[in-house]
Amino acid sequence: MEKDFIIAGFGGQGVLLAGEVLANAFMLDDKNVTWYPSYGAEMRGGTVNCTVVMSDEEVSAVQKTSADFIIVLNQASFDKYTSWVKKGGSIIVNSSLAAIKKTRDDINYIFVPITKMAQETLGNIKMSNILSLGILSKISKLVSIETLEKALHNVIPPHRAHLIPKNIQALKLGYEYDLLKI
């Protein structure tokens, strides 16, 4: 079983970190995995995305033009990547920074005010990326919160270790979000 994931947003939203955490979590679950980052030349504010491919077998290709699950953290990413979702796949949309609109009837839309939740509950919009992984864990059922927590410990550098508890809180907040509100 191979599953493809894309995480996209603008520079400074932690897109690459989220992808690295997800890839590491799959490795902890003994899956074959690739993580492929892509970003513009801008330091902050430019477009950023990464592809994570997880498989029980060898990974078929690194860079994908479609995915089973896509997380978009801003409007530009929503506009670009909605068409990339495989039929029957899911797109998690940060409705704090992207319009709630459904242009396809063959995919699942999960609109969550991710940035607003991160600000209001965690006091930091920079937790939006990890909060979105909690949502992904819940809807995909492919990686557990516990494994994502372990991956955070592996990926976050020692000088940022003090942020791990807040990131774990963000994971749980995303996972526990009532998707029926949507």
Side-chain angles (χ1 to χ4, degrees):
M1 167 191 64
E2 183 172 290
K3 294 293 181 182
D4 307 314
F5 303 82
I6 295 174
I7 305 172
F10 54 78
Q13 286 186 299
V15 167
L16 301 183
L17 175 65
E20 191 175 356
V21 169
L22 182 61
N24 192 277
F26 287 136
M27 286 189 293
L28 290 170
D29 281 342
D30 292 322
K31 303 294 184 188
N32 293 308
V33 64
T34 62
W35 170 71
Y36 185 81
S38 176
Y39 44 90
E42 303 91 348
M43 288 295 287
R44 292 272 187 247
T47 59
V48 177
N49 70 79
C50 65
T51 304
V52 175
V53 181
M54 176 275 296
S55 180
D56 294 322
E57 308 297 325
E58 281 190 31
V59 172
S60 65
V62 176
Q63 197 171 13
K64 301 288 187 163
T65 56
S66 65
D68 300 286
F69 297 93
I70 298 181
I71 298 171
V72 293
L73 296 177
N74 65 354
Q75 185 67 50
S77 298
F78 179 63
D79 294 342
K80 178 177 181 177
Y81 289 104
T82 300
S83 65
W84 291 37
V85 182
K86 292 179 184 177
K87 183 178 180 179
S90 298
I91 186 167
I92 299 169
V93 182
N94 179 4
S95 62
S96 298
L97 300 178
I100 297 175
K101 63 180 180 179
K102 297 181 179 183
T103 57
R104 294 177 56 188
D105 60 6
D106 62 340
I107 64 173
N108 303 307
Y109 290 89
I110 297 93
F111 293 100
V112 180
I114 296 169
T115 301
K116 181 179 178 186
M117 288 172 57
Q119 180 61 47
E120 291 178 357
T121 307
L122 304 168
N124 189 344
I125 63 172
K126 291 184 177 186
M127 298 291 159
S128 298
N129 60 338
I130 303 302
L131 193 153
S132 70
L133 290 181
I135 299 165
L136 177 68
S137 172
K138 185 174 189 172
I139 67 160
S140 74
K141 297 177 178 50
L142 294 170
V143 64
S144 70
I145 287 295
E146 294 78 20
T147 303
L148 286 166
E149 285 182 30
K150 290 176 189 172
L152 280 169
H153 286 277
N154 290 346
V155 172
I156 293 180
H159 70 281
R160 300 252 191 254
H162 65 283
L163 297 173
I164 291 174
K166 190 67 106 173
N167 278 279
I168 291 171
Q169 189 180 354
L171 271 176
K172 290 178 180 176
L173 180 64
Y175 188 84
E176 294 165 1
Y177 183 75
D178 183 4
L179 295 176
L180 296 177
K181 290 182 182 180
I182 301 170

